[in-house]
């Protein structure tokens, strides 16, 4: 992968790509200053078609947002498990669990990615840099991403023994906004991530 600088690519063009991502679009609407602060701790990178961006088992400390191109999540035997399209995030499982990367991800075409160190969001109650509202947007995204992956797993294996636990996973129904929702989403993300890790491990054992 290669880091992009202003000499490599027009910054305004890159920012337009960023604003097409739902997470960043929501932050822009919420607080322009928080958006600028968020961009200041992110970086732009590009990868060529066929290049491996993440490798299963690698240490992790970043989230990736695909801005342009297409990527593939690969199994142990290099079979395609999932396609990542522009606007989507990957790397949330490692963010929540602290575990190494759970899958290998390869660029299907030339891609542009936004890379964000997720350390700023792991301490849920630290608002010295990012506000409660910004962290709420982040954790809503994380919960949605992990739950969506589990739902895809359920569609592929509707009789899997973990489907029952997935169906019983609670959905936050309290008042939106504030630290109560943030705490609930943080716990929900951990519970969903643990379930997804268990599901992934069960598939590996079966193979």
């Amino acid at each position: 992968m290669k880091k992009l600088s202003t000499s490599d690519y027009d910054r305004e063009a890159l920012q337009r790509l960023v604003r097409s991502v739902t997470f960043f679009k929501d932050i822009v609407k919420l607080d322009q200053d928080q958006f600028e602060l968020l961009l200041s701790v992110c970086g732009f990178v590009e990868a060529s078609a066929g290049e491996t961006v993440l490798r299963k088992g690698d240490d992790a400390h970043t989230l990736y947002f695909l801005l342009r191109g297409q990527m593939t999540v690969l199994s142990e035997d290099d079979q395609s498990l999932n396609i990542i399209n522009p606007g989507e995030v990957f790397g949330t499982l490692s963010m929540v669990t602290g575990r190494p990367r759970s899958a290998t991800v390869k660029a299907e075409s030339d891609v542009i990615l936004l890379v964000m160190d997720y350390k700023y969001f792991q301490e849920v109650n630290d608002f010295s840099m990012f506000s409660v509202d910004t962290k709420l947007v982040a954790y809503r995204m994380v919960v949605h991403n992990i739950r969506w992956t589990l739902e895809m797993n359920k569609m592929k294996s509707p009789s899997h023994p973990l489907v029952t636990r997935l169906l019983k996973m609670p959905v936050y129904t309290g008042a939106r906004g504030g630290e109560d929702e943030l705490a609930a989403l943080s716990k929900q993300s951990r519970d969903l991530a643990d379930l997804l890790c268990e599901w992934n491990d069960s598939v590996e054992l079966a193979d």
Side-chain angles (χ1 to χ4, degrees):
M1 285 190 295
K2 173 190 172 185
K3 289 185 178 179
L4 291 177
S5 66
T6 52
S7 61
D8 296 316
Y9 213 93
D10 180 75
R11 183 167 177 80
E12 275 302 310
L14 288 174
Q15 288 211 15
R16 283 195 296 272
L17 288 175
V18 171
R19 291 189 182 97
S20 69
V21 177
T22 300
F23 170 63
F24 290 94
K25 189 189 302 182
D26 289 343
I27 299 296
V28 169
K29 292 177 183 176
L30 184 70
D31 189 324
Q32 181 67 34
D33 289 340
Q34 286 277 285
F35 172 70
E36 295 295 339
L37 184 58
L38 196 55
L39 274 190
S40 74
V41 299
C42 293
F44 296 96
V45 298
E46 62 179 0
S48 301
E51 187 174 350
T52 298
V53 174
L54 299 183
R55 195 174 299 278
K56 183 175 180 179
D58 285 352
D59 290 335
H61 60 87
T62 51
L63 285 181
Y64 289 85
F65 297 86
L66 180 58
L67 303 181
R68 176 174 291 174
Q70 192 174 70
M71 310 193 74
T72 304
V73 181
L74 298 173
S75 65
E76 295 275 5
D77 56 355
D78 283 340
Q79 297 299 309
S80 176
L81 298 175
N82 187 29
I83 298 296
I84 302 171
N85 294 305
E88 295 181 354
V89 60
F90 57 101
T92 55
L93 194 59
S94 292
M95 169 182 167
V96 175
T97 65
R99 290 171 56 154
R101 297 297 186 193
S102 61
T104 295
V105 180
K106 183 177 289 187
E108 279 293 300
S109 62
D110 293 346
V111 300
I112 297 177
L113 300 154
L114 184 67
V115 185
M116 183 179 79
D117 192 324
Y118 53 62
K119 67 182 180 183
Y120 304 102
F121 291 90
Q122 285 183 305
E123 293 296 328
V124 177
N125 298 316
D126 179 2
F127 307 116
S128 58
M129 190 167 185
F130 293 110
S131 67
V132 173
D133 289 337
T134 296
K135 289 195 170 184
L136 277 169
V137 175
Y139 272 90
R140 287 170 189 153
M141 171 192 68
V142 168
V143 166
H144 172 79
N145 179 261
I146 298 174
R147 186 179 283 277
W148 179 86
T149 303
L150 282 163
E151 290 292 339
M152 292 300 100
N153 287 354
K154 184 183 75 172
M155 288 178 63
K156 292 175 184 175
S157 304
S159 60
H160 194 286
L162 293 177
V163 167
T164 302
R165 278 177 52 192
L166 173 60
L167 295 174
K168 291 180 179 179
M169 278 284 175
V171 176
Y172 179 74
T173 57
R176 284 176 67 85
E179 294 184 43
D180 286 345
E181 183 189 2
L182 182 59
L185 291 175
S186 175
K187 182 180 185 308
Q188 190 178 5
S189 69
R190 290 195 303 272
D191 291 343
L192 288 167
D194 287 343
L195 180 59
L196 181 53
C197 287
E198 190 173 339
W199 194 307
N200 291 342
D201 290 344
S202 73
V203 171
E204 289 176 7
L205 288 172
D207 291 343

